[in-house]
Amino acid sequence: MLFDEVIMGRRSIRGYKPDPVPKDVIREIITLATRAPSSMNTQPWHLHVVTGEPLDRIRKGNTERNQAGVPASREIRMHGPYEGIHRKRQIEIAAQLFETMGIEWQDKVRRQDWVMRGFRQFDAPVSIVVAFDKSLTGNDIAIFDCGAVVNCLVNAAWSKGLGAVINGQGIMQSPVVREHALIPDDQVIMSCVAMGYPADDFSANDVVSRRRPVDEVVNFVGFE
Ligand SMILES: Cc1cc2nc3c(=O)[nH]c(=O)nc-3n(C[C@H](O)[C@H](O)[C@H](O)COP(=O)(O)O)c2cc1C
């Protein structure tokens, strides 16, 4: 695939075929993804690729803790609820997804079910937990670097015919993830990425999220 086709074609995938993903394919994707640039080439990331029984244990633990009302325990700082224009964009993508899935805003049961899918890693056959070296805690650049590798990861997956979604929800109960993904104590969990072959009949997979126009985003300086 051409670079433009990958970038313009990629979408977040939230419904998967149960088919396992061969280890070699994941290796190829990670080989591409880890070409991501990082500050002074420090490459602070660690990618924990989880499948099968350990992933099922994470799904179960996440679900149980959320249903029991255990507060989220992320290992990186959070911003609290989005407000203003950011909240507006958050609602816009949620509305696109709910509309295509036939979920009404008032339908609390189906909305909660959708949230729980995220805690189950969207039932994907693979979850890649992204962590960074704890010695870099407090250095925002390490998080920037991990963002770069995650972006490469989802695009590399797409280029190989797989789908993925970056899934902040999946690591909100970080002790569960840490235990079953065997994450060492000297690493900080940043996020995770659900990955697998996209289900053909899952309408949310076709949603194309909107982007701000270039002229709104950019400030050209010194051009003719
Ligand atoms: C840091 C981060 C966390 C995210 N967490 C979630 C999540 O928990 N659940 C979800 O459905 N999508 C999640 N996403 C996916 C975004 O909703 C998605 O990338 C955005 O709406 C743009 O859509 P696209 O990826 O299809 O272009 C996350 C994306 C990022 C970058």
Side-chain angles (χ1 to χ4, degrees), residues 47-112:
L47 304 178
H48 303 269
V49 186
V50 192
T51 192
E53 219 179 274
L55 180 53
D56 286 340
R57 287 201 293 270
I58 292 175
R59 294 190 228 277
K60 186 166 179 282
N62 279 352
T63 302
E64 284 171 0
R65 283 170 69 110
N66 280 295
Q67 282 173 342
V70 178
S73 50
R74 292 188 199 236
E75 298 184 359
I76 57 172
R77 281 179 302 165
M78 284 298 292
H79 44 69
Y82 284 119
E83 291 174 6
I85 187 65
H86 303 118
R87 175 77 180 144
K88 189 166 169 270
R89 294 187 193 125
Q90 178 188 7
I91 289 173
E92 186 180 70
I93 183 62
Q96 276 182 274
L97 290 166
F98 288 171
E99 191 187 343
T100 188
M101 294 296 290
I103 303 174
E104 304 278 345
W105 274 108
Q106 302 82 350
D107 190 341
K108 284 194 179 153
V109 174
R110 288 197 65 201
R111 278 178 61 174
Q112 178 62 10

Side-chain angles (χ1 to χ4, degrees), residues 72-80 82 130-134 136-140 142-144 146-147 150 166-169 171-175 178 187-192:
S73 50
R74 292 188 199 236
E75 298 184 359
I76 57 172
R77 281 179 302 165
M78 284 298 292
H79 44 69
Y82 284 119
V130 182
F132 61 89
D133 294 313
K134 200 174 210 164
L136 296 173
T137 300
N139 175 2
D140 290 344
I143 296 191
F144 180 101
C146 287
V150 167
I166 305 166
N167 185 22
Q169 276 172 287
I171 48 88
M172 276 168 69
Q173 296 291 348
S174 54
R178 182 169 284 285
Q187 295 178 22
V188 177
I189 298 173
M190 195 195 87
S191 195
C192 68

Side-chain angles (χ1 to χ4, degrees), residues 154-183:
V154 294
N155 282 300
W158 193 264
S159 78
K160 299 284 173 194
L162 275 87
V165 60
I166 305 166
N167 185 22
Q169 276 172 287
I171 48 88
M172 276 168 69
Q173 296 291 348
S174 54
V176 171
V177 177
R178 182 169 284 285
E179 180 188 347
H180 299 297
L182 309 177
I183 308 217

Side-chain angles (χ1 to χ4, degrees), residues 10-12 14 93 97 114 122 165-170 191 207 209 211:
R10 185 207 61 81
R11 308 178 290 282
S12 285
R14 298 181 175 89
I93 183 62
L97 290 166
W114 180 261
F122 297 95
V165 60
I166 305 166
N167 185 22
Q169 276 172 287
S191 195
V207 167
S209 56
R211 292 294 185 272

